[in-house]
Amino acid sequence: MKAAISSLISFRNFDLHEPSLSRSIFRQLSLLLPSQFPVVSTDAKANGANFTSLHQKFRFHSIKTSPIMASSFNPERATSPPAVPPPVPPVTKFKIGLCQLMATPDKQRNIEHARKAIEEAVEKGAKLVVLPEIWNVPYSQDTVSVYAEDIEAGGDASPSTAMLSEVSRRLKVTIVGGSIVERSGDKIYNTCCVFGTDGNMKAKHRKIHLFDIDIPGKITFIESKAIAAGQTPTVVDTEVGRIGIGICYDIRFPELAMIYAARGAHLICYPGAFNMTTGPLHWELLQCARAVDNLLYVATCSRARDVDDSYVAWGHSTLVGPFGEVLATTEHDEAIIISEIDYSLIELRRTNLPLLKQKRGDLYQLVDVQRLKSE
């Protein structure tokens, strides 16, 4: 091994900070690993000694960003207004429940079915429960307005949110209530309501990006024919941390997730219902991308697949960790996923990969228009 390495480098001045040298060395070393580097010993003490000896000889350096260089890049200017760190969450570890449900034409049946799913998730330890997009009725552009509810009026005018309020208060659980069709004045919205453990509505997110898509021979869906676009990004402080909300197609837009991260979100929840064309290609990919881009948690909750529905959902509700790792998922049938969120991993991963300190505020900037106007 000494001869092999000595032929590649002179360890006297070996320094990984020199870019061309480090690229050359690792390119050549990769040709020798693993078959041409013999295992010296399977004994732990011996291996420790061997590594120590190698480290002393070759002076491996940890890679650190120069404070002077980082400051000259003005990372704090990469977001306007400047990003705020996540607040200390009320809990560090908790269980999340993702309820992947099927919607039938019977609205009252769907409401009771969702109630039972929430109750089951809480029985299994969930402190946060997420429902799918349009979980209470079939999703059809032609009939969507028929099922619309007046959320602001509440009560009998909005039986879906009335149920969510009652069950969140009774079970002391935070609920990201998927989405339902909302009527407000002469407009129809695709709306997600978030309820706290006291049963009060803490936030309401109207879908910002509408699903207008045309893939010939596969799928054509023009959501904007029936639904009006929301105007407000939504971040809400809950009993389980600061949560950003998006609905389905919102996940395709990294700027929205970046704004949520800059507002200090620990977790982004996306109730959704990707279709059978884009679902297999993009659904998991987008979740992992939004998580690793911002080094935070991403939870998605889809409708279950009903092949007889006019809109067939892909399913595969998922929880993704801050390094883009899939922590829990399911297939296309109805299911309740229970998984643990550990917010301490956010700080760890942001230390491992300090992207926020490496942004080039001298070259680009993300503008949070809503925050900028309010400050």
Side-chain angles (χ1 to χ4, degrees):
M1 184 171 77
K2 288 182 180 179
I5 296 179
S6 296
S7 67
L8 294 173
I9 58 175
S10 171
F11 57 76
R12 198 173 294 174
N13 296 310
F14 181 66
D15 192 328
L16 291 182
H17 288 299
E18 208 292 304
S20 61
L21 176 61
S22 61
R23 283 196 298 270
S24 172
I25 289 167
F26 284 120
R27 197 159 44 236
Q28 295 179 68
L29 283 175
S30 66
L31 299 176
L32 299 175
L33 292 171
S35 61
Q36 291 172 274
F37 276 174
V39 176
V40 178
S41 172
T42 56
D43 178 74
K45 291 183 179 179
N47 279 335
N50 288 330
F51 179 80
T52 300
S53 175
L54 190 66
H55 179 78
Q56 290 171 344
K57 286 185 177 182
F58 297 109
R59 295 171 51 224
F60 285 95
H61 296 275
S62 61
I63 299 174
K64 296 180 180 179
T65 301
S66 165
I68 297 175
M69 182 179 294
S71 63
S72 69
F73 291 160
N74 300 316
E76 72 284 352
R77 295 184 184 177
T79 304
S80 177
V84 297
V88 176
V91 292
T92 301
K93 289 183 181 181
F94 65 93
K95 289 183 179 179
I96 185 173
L98 308 176
C99 300
Q100 182 166 290
L101 306 175
M102 189 178 295
T104 73
D106 186 340
K107 184 176 182 179
Q108 188 56 40
R109 177 264 176 201
N110 298 334
I111 292 173
E112 290 306 313
H113 188 51
R115 183 200 304 272
K116 291 177 182 177
I118 295 169
E119 291 171 345
E120 182 177 341
V122 173
E123 286 176 5
K124 294 179 178 179
K127 297 297 182 184
L128 169 65
V129 177
V130 186
L131 297 182
E133 180 183 24
I134 313 294
W135 55 268
N136 61 343
V137 296
Y139 193 30
S140 167
Q141 294 168 274
D142 299 329
T143 61
V144 68
S145 62
V146 176
Y147 296 106
E149 300 185 12
D150 186 341
I151 294 173
E152 294 302 319
D156 292 340
S158 184
S160 301
T161 58
M163 181 276 289
L164 295 176
S165 174
E166 184 278 327
V167 75
S168 63
R169 180 177 60 255
R170 175 166 52 86
L171 300 179
K172 306 299 181 188
V173 62
T174 300
I175 298 176
V176 174
S179 77
I180 65 172
V181 183
E182 177 196 11
R183 183 185 299 279
S184 180
D186 60 352
K187 292 186 177 180
I188 303 294
Y189 296 98
N190 186 341
T191 302
C192 174
C193 298
V194 180
F195 290 87
T197 56
D198 58 2
N200 291 328
M201 187 189 304
K202 300 180 76 71
K204 183 171 71 172
H205 176 80
R206 290 168 170 165
K207 188 174 185 178
I208 294 174
H209 304 94
L210 299 182
F211 181 55
D212 290 358
I213 183 173
D214 182 18
I215 303 177
K218 296 290 185 180
I219 181 172
T220 298
F221 197 96
I222 309 299
E223 189 174 27
S224 61
K225 284 185 176 180
I227 299 291
Q231 300 297 318
T232 308
T234 305
V235 173
V236 54
D237 286 317
T238 74
E239 291 83 355
V240 290
R242 183 169 290 180
I243 302 176
I245 305 294
I247 299 175
C248 200
Y249 204 57
D250 284 338
I251 200 173
R252 288 192 175 275
F253 299 86
E255 297 87 352
L256 182 62
M258 291 165 68
I259 284 174
Y260 289 164
R263 293 186 183 188
H266 303 101
L267 162 70
I268 305 177
C269 290
Y270 293 98
F274 265 43
N275 57 79
M276 296 297 293
T277 299
T278 60
L281 294 170
H282 302 155
W283 179 237
E284 186 175 295
L285 172 68
L286 288 167
Q287 296 172 63
C288 294
R290 297 296 81 83
V292 78
D293 280 350
N294 301 289
L295 299 170
L296 45 63
Y297 281 89
V298 167
T300 62
C301 189
S302 172
R303 291 165 60 122
R305 189 179 307 169
D306 181 356
V307 295
D308 295 323
D309 199 348
S310 60
Y311 182 94
V312 181
W314 170 241
H316 294 79
S317 302
T318 302
L319 176 67
V320 180
F323 244 25
E325 67 276 33
V326 174
L327 300 175
T329 190
T330 188
E331 294 296 323
H332 61 266
D333 295 324
E334 287 199 327
I336 297 175
I337 303 170
I338 304 294
S339 190
E340 185 177 74
I341 286 177
D342 181 355
Y343 285 147
S344 68
L345 288 178
I346 295 176
E347 183 177 358
L348 174 64
R349 295 314 188 194
R350 291 181 178 183
T351 301
N352 299 153
L353 196 63
L355 299 180
L356 301 180
K357 298 177 181 178
Q358 298 169 335
K359 289 182 180 290
R360 294 293 301 268
D362 58 327
L363 298 180
Y364 51 75
Q365 186 179 64
L366 174 74
V367 179
D368 186 338
V369 175
Q370 185 185 41
R371 263 185 75 203
L372 200 61
K373 288 181 178 179
S374 66
E375 294 187 359

